Amino acid sequence: MFEKDAQSDHLHPDTLAIRAGHQRTHEQEHSEPIFPTSSFVYESAAEAARKFSGEEPGNVYSRFTNPSVQTFEARLAAMEGAEACVATSSGMAAIMSTVLGLLEAGDEIVASRALFGSTVSLFAKYFGKFGVVTHFVELSDLESWKAAMTPRTKLLFAETPSNPLSEIADIRALADIAHDHGAWLAIDNCFCTPALLRPIEHGADLIIHSATKYLDGQGRAIGGAVAGRADLVKEVHGVVRTCGPSMSPFNAWIFTKGLETLGLRMRAHCDNALALAKWLEAHPGVERVHYSGLTSHPQHALAARQQSGFGAVLGVEVKGGREGAWSVIDATRLLSITGNLGDLKTTITHPATTTHGRLSDEQRATAGITEGLIRIAVGLEHLEDIKKDLTRGLDAL
């Protein structure tokens, strides 16, 4: 786990993405090294005892202390404006570790219905087995959040923008609701990243990341992170230390290098996505485009106020239901048919049968996941080539 270093407070996030977190070794390397080691050695038994007990800072075992991982944690914490950060083996591991670290049987979660399918399953099925109850509410209906709060509520959880319908959480309002009831607010910042949104500035206590997505940006590795208040992250780190959902040093190095270009990539992703969203909205084969960058989006003003960009994920409802959606997907030759997102390469998938396929029909309906919905994560190919690839299927509807 990394805890905040005050020297980075005055630097822009784009600079922090390149400079923060790296402590040069005696070799005086310019680029961040990789430490692919499981353990560390000591000069004496007394030094080992001091480091194992925490009396003296230093590396103990790569399950919970590794210099490559700590560099990534330090850099991401600085970019998010967080006090601390702990890296995990995946985005789902980040969510799991947060709940295991902070909640116990009898506690309750209030969460948005507009969540990634695996997150819904984790909350509703697995945490429920151990006595942690989750109440799902409409993301944009603040009154429903308030109504779901009880004396046992400990955590509010939301994605913003949501996957895949681009719904926007009013972070400040949710933070006020949480804090008025003695609870914490966790925001999944996967779609915006700190390049476009820093939830702590709006009152969030914790930030969840799937580093697999835009933090890497090239689909090379799996990882996650939790950033936020140091006292809360310390409890999450305890889970990672004990249970072992740890990030590997090699993956941490990949994510660290990915952060260096995050600002540039996110701005380019946003430009491509907004242009494509406007084009799709005007296409006769498209019934609706869900993207907060469009003025037609019901929360466009909130997104514009809260974020510095609108992200790169579009929810596109096409004519013809599942048959129409599958025909558009299958007609592509350039776009990658995959459930992942955040790559330089544009990806396309059918959420109802992939990312949200394990949900019940009722859960999908409640979350707005229709059979005609396609998710497009817009990459950095030339815009005209992306349009051309989609036109082949859309024109046939």
Side-chain angles (χ1 to χ4, degrees):
M1 185 184 91
F2 166 82
E3 293 196 44
K4 186 176 182 180
D5 184 346
Q7 74 179 49
S8 63
D9 284 351
H10 64 287
L11 297 175
H12 190 279
D14 283 354
T15 302
L16 295 172
I18 296 170
R19 293 287 183 174
H22 178 202
Q23 300 295 323
R24 289 193 180 96
T25 73
H26 67 280
E27 300 292 351
Q28 291 297 298
E29 71 281 347
H30 191 221
S31 183
E32 297 80 3
I34 309 174
F35 290 86
T37 181
S38 59
S39 62
F40 303 86
V41 299
Y42 311 100
E43 295 294 330
S44 67
E47 181 192 1
R50 291 193 302 271
K51 289 184 175 176
F52 268 75
S53 69
E55 178 185 347
E56 180 180 318
N59 299 306
V60 176
Y61 191 60
S62 280
R63 187 176 70 242
F64 57 97
T65 50
N66 179 277
S68 299
V69 177
Q70 289 167 341
T71 296
F72 167 68
E73 292 170 338
R75 187 163 294 183
L76 182 58
M79 293 172 69
E80 285 284 12
E83 293 178 350
C85 178
V86 58
T88 61
S89 58
S90 69
M92 293 307 303
I95 300 171
M96 179 193 71
S97 299
T98 297
V99 174
L100 289 179
L102 299 177
L103 275 65
E104 59 187 40
D107 289 342
E108 296 184 0
I109 300 169
V110 181
S112 165
R113 286 196 180 96
L115 295 175
F116 175 53
S118 292
T119 306
V120 174
S121 297
L122 182 62
F123 284 169
K125 181 178 180 180
Y126 294 103
F127 290 146
K129 289 182 177 182
F130 299 98
V132 175
V133 175
T134 301
H135 303 284
F136 293 97
V137 298
E138 295 298 327
L139 177 60
S140 59
D141 183 358
L142 295 177
E143 292 305 314
S144 70
W145 288 86
K146 294 176 184 177
M149 302 295 289
T150 78
R152 296 180 297 277
T153 304
K154 293 293 181 64
L155 181 69
L156 277 64
F157 190 97
E159 295 175 8
T160 187
S162 70
N163 180 9
L165 298 182
S166 196
E167 295 179 82
I168 305 298
D170 187 330
I171 299 174
R172 176 58 62 183
L174 291 182
D176 289 343
I177 293 170
H179 299 155
D180 286 347
H181 289 80
W184 305 298
L185 173 64
I187 293 293
D188 187 323
N189 197 26
C190 175
F191 278 21
C192 277
T193 79
L196 305 180
L197 172 67
R198 306 216 298 178
I200 287 174
E201 295 178 348
H202 301 276
D205 301 291
L206 291 169
I207 300 163
I208 306 294
H209 277 289
S210 172
T212 313
K213 311 302 191 295
Y214 293 103
L215 300 191
D216 172 20
Q218 298 186 53
R220 298 170 293 188
I222 301 290
V226 183
R229 281 174 41 183
D231 59 331
L232 302 180
V233 174
K234 182 178 181 180
E235 296 301 318
V236 180
H237 179 255
V239 174
V240 175
R241 173 174 182 154
T242 304
C243 301
S246 312
M247 180 178 287
S248 76
F250 182 73
N251 286 9
W253 179 82
I254 286 176
F255 298 135
T256 298
K257 304 310 288 183
L259 291 177
E260 293 179 349
T261 59
L262 181 63
L264 290 171
R265 287 187 285 105
M266 291 308 295
R267 288 189 284 272
H269 278 296
C270 290
D271 290 345
N272 252 11
L274 180 57
L276 186 66
K278 290 178 178 178
W279 177 79
L280 286 167
E281 194 173 42
H283 195 285
V286 173
E287 294 183 337
R288 184 178 180 185
V289 178
H290 300 269
Y291 183 65
S292 63
L294 296 172
T295 57
S296 58
H297 190 284
Q299 296 170 296
H300 173 72
L302 172 61
R305 182 173 73 248
Q306 192 167 260
Q307 303 163 195
S308 62
F310 300 105
V313 179
L314 314 182
V316 184
E317 295 190 54
V318 301
K319 295 179 179 178
R322 180 186 294 194
E323 183 180 351
W326 281 18
S327 68
V328 171
I329 293 170
D330 290 348
T332 60
R333 298 292 180 268
L334 175 70
L335 276 57
S336 302
I337 304 174
T338 178
N340 196 35
L341 58 90
D343 295 2
L344 299 177
K345 301 169 183 174
T346 300
T347 66
I348 188 168
T349 195
H350 183 243
T353 52
T354 59
T355 58
H356 294 69
R358 290 193 297 159
L359 302 184
S360 67
D361 291 343
E362 181 182 358
Q363 286 175 317
R364 282 195 296 274
T366 302
I369 308 298
T370 65
E371 290 292 335
L373 180 69
I374 294 170
R375 189 189 72 190
I376 303 173
V378 185
L380 300 187
E381 303 96 340
H382 195 282
L383 180 61
E384 294 305 315
D385 290 328
I386 300 173
K387 289 180 181 178
K388 187 185 302 182
D389 204 40
L390 289 168
T391 296
R392 187 181 300 107
L394 288 172
D395 285 356
L397 293 177

